[in-house]
Amino acid sequence: LRTAVHNFASLDLSPDELLAHLDDVITRIDQDAAAEGNTEAVTGATCLYAVYDPVSGRCVLARAGHPGPALVSADGSVTFPDIPVAPPLGVGGGLPVETAELRLAADSRLVLYTDGLVEARGRDIDIGLGMLREALLRTDGATPDGTCRAVLDAMLRDGASDDIALLVARTRLLDPDRVAEWEVPDDPAAVSRIRAEATGRLESWGLGETAFTTELILSELVTNAIRYGASPISLRLLRDGDSLICEVGDGTSTSPHLRRAAITDEGGRGLFLVAQLSRRWGTRYTDRGKIIWAEQSLDAGAARSLGGLLMADL
């Protein structure tokens, strides 16, 4: 099931879609197992899935039969956000999964855990949640590792009667100076201006050496959005650590597909080149359409190999 989650996550699915697909997978696994005479079922597994955007601070969560998270705000206060709960995986019968959206400030801590942490024989879950809240209130300013140690020390004084998993994620917000955005006119003539402005921003970030590669990537993605997509069209560049991410959004939900062009084809190589020049790339669907993104490595070794790659492709 973890492998399935990793695969679905690589498709940039929203939390509710991911849990719906995972529910279908579990149903098929158990049906196949039953047909083979295997009585060991995975139906009833639980999952909490969250996606956090460090640009906006938006966190979207969905859960299937799993305990909801605890949230330690930057000021040290502790809350348990109300996350709609769907039935455990495999028993939902195709019911829709609801999501919840949180806006998390920088240095908040999202605490995710299995029920073994708060439930115990002879102890009501409300008492367990109260104990967790008190433990978290005493971790003001602690690192995620320190938070985990403090919680486990407080909650497991009498030992554990069940397996326990505890994950603490501390949020951060990307500096606005590391984000550049453009609205792109639905006109092929606008591509050269957008490319020049993007190059100027890269130089201001001290990334002039990546300009050539970035120009190739954004030119292909923006041109595709103008040619095959629909308004509104947007471009966003994100500089984050050792990565430079180029995102191009448009108003359609049709995703491009990577293909290998024949020698006699005049086109069809653009997306292949994007894939070769990027560390990763993919499609993320939104309420207004889709976003095609490509992540470049700012590692010096990756940049040195670019020339040979382009010569081989050309």
Side-chain angles (χ1 to χ4, degrees):
L1 298 185
R2 293 189 186 100
T3 300
V5 170
H6 278 290
N7 289 335
F8 289 140
S10 69
L11 300 177
D12 277 334
L13 296 177
S14 62
D16 54 329
E17 289 181 295
L18 184 142
L19 290 185
H21 283 297
L22 195 59
D23 188 79
D24 291 339
V25 167
I26 287 179
T27 300
R28 291 198 301 270
I29 289 175
D30 281 349
Q31 287 175 346
D32 293 343
E36 297 172 0
N38 185 354
T39 59
E40 188 172 332
V42 293
T43 291
T46 67
C47 183
L48 169 65
Y49 189 81
V51 176
Y52 176 69
D53 178 7
V55 177
S56 64
R58 176 174 177 260
C59 184
V60 182
L61 307 95
R63 61 182 178 131
H66 202 82
L71 176 62
V72 185
S73 299
D75 62 4
S77 60
V78 179
T79 58
F80 293 90
D82 184 17
I83 312 297
V85 59
L89 296 167
V91 300
L95 292 174
V97 178
E98 295 184 61
T99 61
E101 180 177 322
L102 307 176
R103 293 284 176 171
L104 304 183
D107 291 325
S108 300
R109 281 169 288 161
L110 194 64
V111 182
L112 315 177
Y113 52 89
T114 54
D115 57 5
L117 182 70
V118 294
E119 292 182 0
R121 190 175 295 107
R123 184 179 73 194
D124 187 83
I125 185 173
D126 290 334
I127 296 177
L129 290 174
M131 293 173 59
L132 175 59
R133 183 178 184 275
E134 291 300 320
L136 290 172
L137 285 172
R138 295 192 293 269
T139 63
D140 188 22
T143 64
D145 283 342
T147 302
C148 286
R149 284 194 296 270
V151 167
L152 294 177
D153 288 344
M155 301 291 292
L156 304 181
R157 290 172 181 169
D158 299 326
S161 59
D162 193 5
D163 293 336
I164 293 174
L166 174 64
L167 173 67
V168 177
R170 184 168 58 193
T171 60
R172 63 185 179 89
L173 290 175
L174 197 60
D175 190 323
D177 291 339
R178 292 175 175 263
V179 181
E181 299 180 89
W182 292 267
E183 294 295 327
V184 181
D186 190 6
D187 180 4
V191 176
S192 60
R193 176 181 62 82
I194 296 295
R195 186 170 58 227
E197 293 180 6
T199 298
R201 178 55 64 94
L202 292 176
E203 291 174 349
S204 71
W205 284 342
L207 301 177
E209 71 278 1
T210 69
F212 178 63
T213 305
T214 306
E215 284 183 10
L216 289 174
I217 291 174
L218 72 84
S219 291
E220 174 62 24
L221 298 183
V222 170
T223 300
N224 278 350
I226 293 173
R227 183 176 299 170
Y228 305 113
S231 297
I233 301 171
S234 62
L235 166 67
R236 185 167 76 166
L237 294 179
L238 307 173
R239 182 187 178 185
D240 186 18
D242 67 343
S243 298
L244 177 66
I245 302 171
C246 175
E247 298 181 340
V248 176
D250 73 81
T252 67
S253 58
T254 303
S255 177
H257 295 283
L258 183 67
R259 67 184 182 90
R260 185 175 294 277
I263 296 176
T264 55
D265 288 344
E266 294 184 3
R269 298 175 178 83
L271 198 57
F272 174 74
L273 187 60
V274 170
Q276 295 297 303
L277 298 178
S278 305
R279 176 159 59 187
R280 300 185 303 156
W281 73 280
T283 304
R284 183 168 68 251
Y285 294 97
T286 68
D287 294 338
R288 297 193 307 166
K290 68 175 182 299
I291 294 173
I292 309 297
W293 57 269
E295 179 184 349
Q296 296 170 246
S297 172
L298 299 180
D299 178 72
R304 282 195 300 269
S305 65
L306 175 61
L309 171 64
L310 288 177
M311 289 298 293
D313 286 337
L314 293 175

